[in-house]
Amino acid sequence: MGENETSGAVEENRRLLRVTACGRDWELERETDLESLWAAMTTFSGPDADDERIPYWTELWPSSLVLADWLYERRDLLRGRACLDLGCGIGLTSLVGSWIGARVIGMDYEMEALRYARRNAARNGVPQPGWAVMDWRRPAVRSGSFAFVWGGDVMYERRFAGPVLDFLDHALAAGGVAWIAEPSRSVYESFRSVLVGRGWAGRCVRERNVAALYPQAVPVPVRLWEICRA
């Protein structure tokens, strides 16, 4: 493995994923009854019934491993600071943040994701982050609440660009920083265009090839972006 590669090997036992990150092992419980989750997508009703509610949260994505290591390397900076995990899923980067002493809120669109994230904090012996069901289009946090916001693989549709930046503008404190890890998708360029047009700055601070979490021919090229107001 080259120096620019991150090990992403996952030991999978259906409901339980075991992964090494930040110099320790993690066990992550997840939902495996995907049939029921897909069925729930078709029966959902409410003001956002037209949203695609694909259960991406049940997986652990390569971007989260790169982001987790990045947070761990900055543990002295993050310790005691108010931080938000944007789209936390089953919780790995929220758990890392809490483990290193940050004051973390993990938010997700899906209540079921947070149930697993809470169990995963207990399973791994880390202090429980705060957990919040939240839609980034309707932020339920006070303006300027967070010194740091991070997210792994949240920019997978072009339509997210404006709402995500609106959320960052609302949630980040003056001088605050966001870190977004993504698997080198072209859709991220839409987000970069919105950034520039609205007076934000973004720079790539890390590029890593992550060994495939599940069997595939090539590693996943993950980029991590640091975003702040210009």
Side-chain angles (χ1 to χ4, degrees):
M1 180 180 299
E3 64 179 4
N4 67 333
E5 293 186 0
T6 293
S7 174
V10 167
E11 180 185 339
E12 182 179 8
N13 182 17
R14 297 192 64 191
R15 198 174 184 89
L16 197 64
L17 300 176
R18 295 182 175 89
V19 63
T20 300
C22 310
R24 60 163 285 180
D25 295 329
W26 302 86
E27 289 188 343
L28 302 170
E29 187 181 355
R30 62 171 184 161
E31 178 59 71
T32 55
D33 184 5
L34 299 183
E35 211 169 287
S36 294
L37 291 175
W38 282 97
M41 286 174 55
T42 65
T43 59
F44 177 76
S45 62
D48 301 316
D50 291 336
D51 284 1
E52 292 183 5
R53 303 177 70 88
I54 299 172
Y56 293 124
W57 61 265
T58 63
E59 295 290 354
L60 178 65
W61 301 99
S63 297
S64 293
L65 296 176
V66 174
L67 180 56
D69 283 339
W70 178 267
L71 300 177
Y72 179 67
E73 291 166 13
R74 281 147 188 81
R75 55 194 178 275
D76 291 339
L77 174 65
L78 295 173
R79 190 174 295 119
R81 307 296 295 277
C83 302
L84 180 76
D85 187 348
L86 182 68
C88 66
I90 57 175
L92 176 62
T93 52
S94 292
L95 304 191
V96 170
S98 184
W99 177 54
I100 63 177
R103 295 185 291 114
V104 181
I105 290 179
M107 63 164 275
D108 203 279
Y109 194 52
E110 298 290 350
M111 172 67 81
E112 193 67 8
L114 300 182
R115 291 195 183 102
Y116 281 97
R118 179 179 293 277
R119 289 206 288 264
N120 287 334
R123 176 181 290 275
N124 288 277
V126 304
Q128 285 286 350
W131 303 109
V133 177
M134 200 184 313
D135 183 336
W136 53 44
R137 294 169 298 187
R138 289 183 285 277
V141 293
R142 187 175 298 173
S143 177
S145 296
F146 300 100
F148 298 94
V149 174
W150 62 71
D153 212 347
V154 295
M155 292 302 306
Y156 52 87
E157 290 192 35
R158 285 180 173 81
R159 65 189 175 98
F160 293 167
V164 167
L165 188 55
D166 288 342
F167 183 88
L168 294 180
D169 197 26
H170 173 83
L172 275 176
V177 172
W179 293 310
I180 303 294
E182 51 89 22
S184 301
R185 289 194 182 101
S186 59
V187 69
Y188 189 81
E189 297 306 314
S190 297
F191 185 57
R192 291 184 68 191
S193 297
V194 175
L195 281 177
V196 173
R198 291 175 53 174
W200 289 67
R203 64 189 183 102
C204 183
V205 292
R206 174 159 294 174
E207 294 184 73
R208 286 279 171 85
N209 291 325
V210 179
L213 299 177
Y214 306 103
Q216 65 180 58
V218 296
V220 179
V222 174
R223 297 180 298 183
L224 194 146
W225 298 84
E226 184 173 86
I227 298 164
C228 60
R229 295 178 180 91

